[in-house]
């Protein structure tokens, strides 16, 4: 049974679940099973501690360790997952320099006793040489260090080249990594470095590097001797270094496992730029690594990239270890030295995994996740039992260690109902009358009444009595929207001195443009006899309808001859909101629209270009299957013509 280590920059911890094959189950344990990994190191989680969820931490059969940014949201973040069936760390720390404190402690990792920390920390002189704020460097969520009896594992997300804004910080991080690794090796420990190091070794690890060097006017020596690449190459065995090596870096101490198994392979990349859709054409770079100290060089039997697995702008990189490895004591089963002593002997498990043996930095020991195995426990916890002398301990679920304190009990038959709230004077929904309240207050020492019958139960909300007369109570009880009919019924208003009389209000009539003669007829009718006036007031619609002009006698100006065609209207709205028809590229395919983001005169302008990805050359090509040179500004496109050009924004 082989042992596999996998590193993957996921560009957001949930990002892979939007792709196959992770989309089907969307769980981390199924993802790790598909990767066939026993240790998984993930970078760029882009979450903070408050964003951790049960499915991220309480992964069945896995332990986890996180280094998350303390201040900046949605930035960096490293997680290390270890399979409990094959390995168990003996120590775990957050940060590269050891200046942070373990959970529940005020002492930093570097200041703990020797048997409680990993070691290899930088001296004061080495920290000054790095020239960075140690606390800031460890607080950005860039490093998790996990120690097994076999080796010390680093899970890293090194700073990227952010347009030169943080070159000093990036350089200091690589210096600190080089020093910490060398210090651990001097202490006699084996080291494995994994993660996104954001640096490539040489031209073979970057697509079209020679063309880029020609455009920038730099030589091969200058390319390899850039500050961070020079430090990295000095750390590696066989790394290309020009000139005299730096003091303290006279020899390489780490082995590039993947390149060691594929020394001359080109196009072995692990990262592709998403903005230019560079992955289909394999226009990328190799910046994700698994390195090991030289005394572990022959522990590994395979290593490769998994560029066919989607889910991020990076792909997983893995390395496979032997079942039996050579150590100082001779050939040993790998599982024997991947867990604390006594867990495995000759590759066979003798002791079951226990959370009591995990380091305090484990994600499962965080207060918000401790003592819970899964989210289902939130819904299956049993309610606490009430303390009573009548409690039968033998029938209770679970064991009860303490004896309940005797307390007076009330028979079930004589238990008084909960007291009702006294009625409020201004409320129309009083529950009880003032008389009943006064009676209950006047006799506080009276015995509890017997259990009520069903007929004595308090009335529901709809049957509560309201303050006032019966008609008011009826009105109050009918309050509330019962159906949509209320929107169409005429409202009522009281007239006269009586409160019970109701007169219908006339609905608002549309204003019609009629002739003066029709207006005079209506006026004469309204000035008729009192009997007519009474009839008009009682049924106004019946009296006025005959007086409305008809089309045969008085033509109405209602613009009835205007007809709107729904099909024409739909087409008009569709044209208004639909995307404009774009030009076609040299492949006779629709172009895609983009927006210029480079600072300058054209910043913010949109343009059309070929939607195919860039090819291996990294440039636009003519007469090939990759992106052609079609380009046209959106403001210059009128909907006709070829729209093909070569000018870049």
């Amino acid at each position: 049974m082989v042992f596999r280590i996998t590193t993957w920059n996921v560009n957001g911890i949930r990002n892979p679940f939007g792709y196959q094959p992770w989309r089907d189950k969307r769980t981390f344990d199924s993802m790790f099973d598909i990767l066939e990994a026993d240790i998984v190191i993930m970078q760029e989680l882009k979450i903070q501690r408050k964003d951790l969820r049960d499915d991220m931490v309480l992964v069945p059969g896995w332990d986890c360790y996180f280094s998350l940014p303390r201040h900046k949201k949605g930035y960096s973040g490293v997680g290390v997952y270890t399979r409990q069936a094959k390995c168990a760390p003996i120590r775990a720390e957050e940060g590269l320099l050891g200046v942070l404190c373990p959970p529940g402690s005020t002492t930093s990792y570097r200041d703990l006793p020797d048997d409680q920390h990993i070691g290899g920390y930088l001296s004061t002189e080495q920290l000054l040489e790095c020239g960075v704020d140690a606390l800031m460097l460890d607080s950005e969520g860039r490093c998790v260090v996990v120690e097994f009896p076999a080796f010390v594992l680093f899970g890293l997300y090194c700073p990227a080249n952010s347009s030169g804004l943080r070159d000093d910080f990036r350089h200091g991080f690589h210096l600190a990594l080089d020093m910490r690794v060398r210090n651990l090796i001097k202490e006699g420990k084996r080291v494995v470095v994994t993660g996104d190091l954001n640096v490539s070794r040489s031209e073979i690890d970057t697509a079209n590097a020679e063309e880029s060097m020609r455009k920038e006017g730099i030589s091969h020596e200058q390319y390899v001797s850039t500050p961070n690449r020079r430090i990295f190459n000095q750390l590696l065995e066989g790394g290309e270094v020009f000139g005299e090596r730096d003091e303290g870096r006279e020899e390489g101490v780490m082995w590039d496992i993947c390149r060691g198994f594929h020394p001359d392979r080109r196009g072995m990349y692990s990262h592709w730029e998403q903005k230019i859709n560079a992955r289909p054409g394999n226009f990328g770079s190799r910046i994700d690594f698994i390195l090991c100290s030289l005394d572990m060089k022959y522990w590994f039997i395979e290593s490769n990239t998994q560029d066919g697995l989607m889910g991020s702008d990076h792909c997983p990189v893995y390395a496979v270890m032997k079942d039996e490895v050579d150590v100082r004591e001779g050939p040993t089963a790998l599982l024997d030295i991947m867990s604390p002593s006594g867990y495995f002997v000759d590759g066979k498990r003798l002791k079951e995994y226990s959370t009591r043996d995990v380091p305090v930095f484990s994600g499962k020991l965080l207060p918000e996740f401790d003592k819970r195995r899964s989210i289902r426990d939130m819904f299956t916890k049993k309610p606490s039992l009430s303390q009573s002398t009548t409690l039968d301990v033998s029938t209770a679920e679970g064991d009860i260690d303490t004896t309940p304190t005797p307390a007076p009990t009330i028979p079930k038959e004589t238990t008084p109902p909960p007291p009702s709230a006294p009625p409020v004077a201004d409320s129309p929904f009083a529950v009880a009358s003032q008389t009943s309240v006064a009676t209950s207050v006047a006799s506080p020492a009276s015995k509890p009444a017997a259990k009520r019958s069903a007929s004595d139960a308090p009335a529901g909300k709809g049957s509560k009595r309201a303050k006032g007369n019966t008609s008011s109570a009826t009105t109050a009880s009918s309050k509330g929207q019962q159906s949509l009919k209320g929107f169409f019924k005429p409202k009522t208003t009281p007239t006269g001195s009586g409160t019970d009389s109701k007169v219908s209000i006339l609905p608002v009539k549309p204003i019609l443009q009629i002739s003066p003669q029709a207006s005079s007829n209506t006026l004469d009718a309204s000035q008729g006899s009192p009997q007519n006036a009474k009839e008009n007031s009682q049924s106004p619609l019946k009296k006025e309808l005959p007086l409305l002009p008809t089309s045969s006698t008085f033509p109405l100006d209602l613009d009835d001859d205007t007809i709107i065609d729904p099909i024409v209207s739909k087409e008009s709205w569709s044209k208004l909101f639909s995307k404009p028809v774009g030009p076609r590229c040299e492949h006779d395919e629709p172009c895609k629209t983009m927006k210029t983001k480079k600072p300058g005169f054209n910043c913010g302008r949109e343009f059309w270009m070929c939607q195919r990805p860039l090819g291996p050359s990294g440039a636009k090509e003519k007469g090939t299957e990759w992106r052609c040179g079609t380009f046209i500004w959106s403001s210059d496109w009128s909907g006709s013509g070829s729209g093909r050009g070569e000018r870049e924004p």
Side-chain angles (χ1 to χ4, degrees):
M1 184 181 296
V2 296
F3 192 96
R4 177 179 290 207
I5 301 174
T6 298
T7 178
W8 191 12
N9 183 321
V10 293
N11 194 25
I13 189 169
R14 294 196 184 277
N15 191 47
F17 293 141
Y19 300 82
Q20 290 291 0
W22 331 108
R23 184 186 301 165
D24 295 335
K25 294 186 177 180
R26 303 179 69 88
T27 60
F28 289 95
D29 54 335
S30 64
M31 175 194 292
F32 301 155
D33 289 341
I34 293 174
L35 291 172
E36 299 179 348
D38 301 302
I39 299 177
V40 179
I41 304 96
M42 306 171 77
Q43 303 89 39
E44 263 197 292
L45 304 183
K46 294 186 177 181
I47 58 172
Q48 292 180 298
R49 177 171 169 176
K50 63 182 180 62
D51 302 316
L52 287 173
R53 296 295 180 264
D54 283 11
D55 64 326
M56 306 175 189
V57 179
L58 306 177
V59 182
W62 291 79
D63 202 1
C64 56
Y65 306 88
F66 297 100
S67 177
L68 304 174
R70 303 292 180 93
H71 309 293
K72 196 169 182 179
K73 183 179 179 181
Y75 178 73
S76 66
V78 175
V80 175
Y81 289 85
T82 59
R83 189 186 293 272
Q84 298 169 357
K86 288 191 175 182
C87 59
I90 57 177
R91 279 179 282 272
E93 298 177 2
E94 178 183 11
L96 181 60
L97 302 177
V99 298
L100 301 179
C101 299
S105 175
T106 57
T107 304
S108 64
Y109 288 108
R110 61 183 298 123
D111 295 329
L112 292 174
D114 292 344
D115 60 341
Q116 298 180 20
H117 68 196
I118 295 177
Y121 306 106
L122 277 63
S123 63
T124 304
E125 294 77 10
Q126 289 176 326
L127 286 174
L128 292 175
E129 183 180 347
C130 293
V132 295
D133 185 345
L135 183 61
M136 181 181 70
L137 187 145
D138 277 1
S139 298
E140 288 198 357
R142 295 187 176 275
C143 180
V144 173
V145 189
V146 181
E147 183 177 6
F148 303 91
F151 53 82
V152 176
L153 174 75
F154 284 82
L156 298 168
Y157 174 55
C158 296
N161 183 15
S162 304
S163 302
L165 300 179
R166 304 187 74 192
D167 282 347
D168 293 339
F169 180 81
R170 185 185 181 207
H171 184 64
F173 192 96
H174 282 278
L175 280 174
L177 174 62
D178 179 271
M179 295 175 182
R180 180 81 186 273
V181 169
R182 292 180 183 274
N183 290 347
L184 284 169
I185 293 176
K186 288 179 181 178
E187 293 180 3
K189 294 188 177 183
R190 307 178 192 90
V191 179
V192 174
V193 175
T194 67
D196 179 1
L197 303 187
N198 268 313
V199 63
S200 59
R201 290 184 57 178
S202 60
E203 294 93 333
I204 194 175
D205 295 313
T206 303
N208 202 24
E210 293 81 2
E211 182 66 20
S212 300
M213 291 164 54
R214 186 186 62 81
K215 289 182 179 180
E216 297 176 9
I218 61 176
S219 63
H220 169 71
E221 180 178 345
Q222 291 173 318
Y223 179 83
V224 176
S225 300
T226 55
N228 297 318
R229 188 172 288 115
R230 177 179 172 85
I231 294 174
F232 185 48
N233 278 322
Q234 290 184 92
L235 180 66
L236 299 175
E237 181 189 45
E240 189 174 7
V241 180
F242 284 90
E244 188 177 353
R245 298 176 72 100
D246 300 342
E247 183 180 356
R249 303 184 182 92
E250 290 80 10
E251 294 181 354
V253 295
M254 302 294 288
W255 185 53
D256 184 356
I257 303 175
C258 196
R259 180 55 70 189
F261 281 97
H262 310 277
D264 302 320
R265 177 179 164 190
R266 290 185 172 272
M268 187 173 62
Y269 305 136
S270 64
H271 169 257
W272 302 266
E273 185 64 46
Q274 284 184 323
K275 294 180 180 179
I276 59 175
N277 194 20
R279 189 163 186 173
N282 197 28
F283 184 75
S285 59
R286 189 173 74 97
I287 57 178
D288 300 88
F289 296 88
I290 300 180
L291 316 175
C292 71
S293 52
L294 298 182
D295 52 356
M296 297 178 62
K297 184 175 181 179
Y298 298 103
W299 287 24
F300 293 88
I301 59 176
E302 182 189 357
S303 182
N304 210 335
T305 60
Q306 295 179 281
D307 50 4
L309 290 177
M310 309 300 289
S312 171
D313 55 345
H314 294 247
C315 75
V317 179
Y318 72 90
V320 180
M321 305 175 72
K322 299 177 181 179
D323 292 337
E324 188 176 85
V325 295
D326 292 327
V327 295
R328 298 181 184 91
E329 296 78 12
T332 304
L334 180 64
L335 297 183
D336 293 359
I337 54 177
M338 289 303 298
S339 298
S341 178
Y343 271 76
F344 287 88
V345 174
D346 296 333
K348 297 180 180 179
R349 178 179 288 277
L350 299 182
K351 182 180 177 181
E352 291 299 325
Y353 176 85
S354 174
T355 55
R356 292 176 297 182
D357 298 332
V358 302
V360 294
F361 181 49
S362 171
K364 291 190 175 182
L365 297 183
L366 293 173
E368 54 265 42
F369 301 101
D370 190 18
K371 298 179 181 179
R372 284 201 295 115
R373 289 192 301 270
S374 68
I375 195 172
R376 290 189 296 272
D377 293 350
M378 300 174 60
F379 305 97
T380 58
K381 285 188 176 181
K382 301 175 177 60
S384 58
L385 298 174
S386 60
Q387 295 182 352
S388 173
T389 55
T390 60
L391 177 66
D392 187 4
V393 180
S394 61
T395 60
E397 295 183 12
D399 297 331
I400 301 177
D401 298 332
T402 59
T403 304
T405 304
T409 60
I410 300 175
K412 185 176 180 181
E413 290 76 7
T414 61
T415 303
S420 302
V424 183
D426 297 334
S427 173
F429 302 105
V431 177
S433 62
Q434 298 291 340
T435 305
S436 61
V437 174
T439 304
S440 61
V441 174
S443 56
S446 60
K447 296 181 180 180
K451 186 177 180 181
R452 296 192 203 180
S453 61
S455 59
D456 296 334
K461 182 176 180 181
S463 60
K464 292 179 181 179
R465 290 191 299 167
K467 185 177 179 181
N469 54 19
T470 306
S471 62
S472 304
T474 304
T475 305
S477 64
S478 62
K479 242 181 178 183
Q481 180 65 33
Q482 302 297 329
S483 68
L484 293 176
K485 294 180 180 179
F487 287 102
F488 306 101
K489 290 183 178 180
K491 296 182 179 180
T492 58
T493 183
T495 57
S497 58
T499 59
D500 294 339
S501 61
K502 300 179 179 62
V503 179
S504 300
I505 297 179
L506 291 177
V508 179
K509 297 186 296 182
I511 301 176
L512 302 178
Q513 296 179 359
I514 60 178
S515 62
Q517 184 176 0
S519 302
S520 62
N521 292 344
T522 305
L523 182 63
D524 294 341
S526 63
Q527 295 176 354
S529 61
Q531 182 65 24
N532 292 339
K534 182 178 180 181
E535 292 177 358
N536 290 339
S537 64
Q538 293 177 353
S539 57
L541 293 178
K542 292 182 179 180
K543 297 298 296 181
E544 292 186 8
L545 282 176
L547 298 176
L548 290 175
T550 62
S551 58
S552 59
T553 310
F554 305 102
L556 298 177
D557 186 13
L558 295 178
D559 294 334
D560 290 337
D561 56 344
T562 302
I563 300 175
I564 299 176
D565 190 350
I567 298 179
V568 176
S569 177
K570 181 180 179 180
E571 292 177 353
S572 301
W573 285 104
S574 299
K575 292 179 181 179
L576 181 62
F577 291 103
S578 61
K579 293 183 179 180
V581 179
R584 304 183 76 84
C585 68
E586 295 177 2
H587 304 99
D588 197 23
E589 296 176 353
C591 294
K592 66 177 181 179
T593 179
M594 302 288 289
K595 181 179 290 187
T596 306
K597 295 184 179 180
K598 294 181 181 179
F601 179 77
N602 291 322
C603 183
R605 293 186 66 185
E606 293 186 351
F607 58 91
W608 297 93
M609 63 179 294
C610 178
Q611 63 178 345
R612 292 196 178 190
L614 289 174
S617 65
K620 297 181 179 180
E621 304 174 4
K622 187 173 183 179
T624 67
E625 59 178 331
W626 305 110
R627 181 178 297 174
C628 64
T630 301
F631 173 85
I632 184 171
W633 292 111
S634 298
S635 57
D636 298 338
W637 172 248
S638 60
S640 60
S642 63
R644 298 169 185 172
E646 300 290 341
R647 187 162 53 95
E648 289 291 338

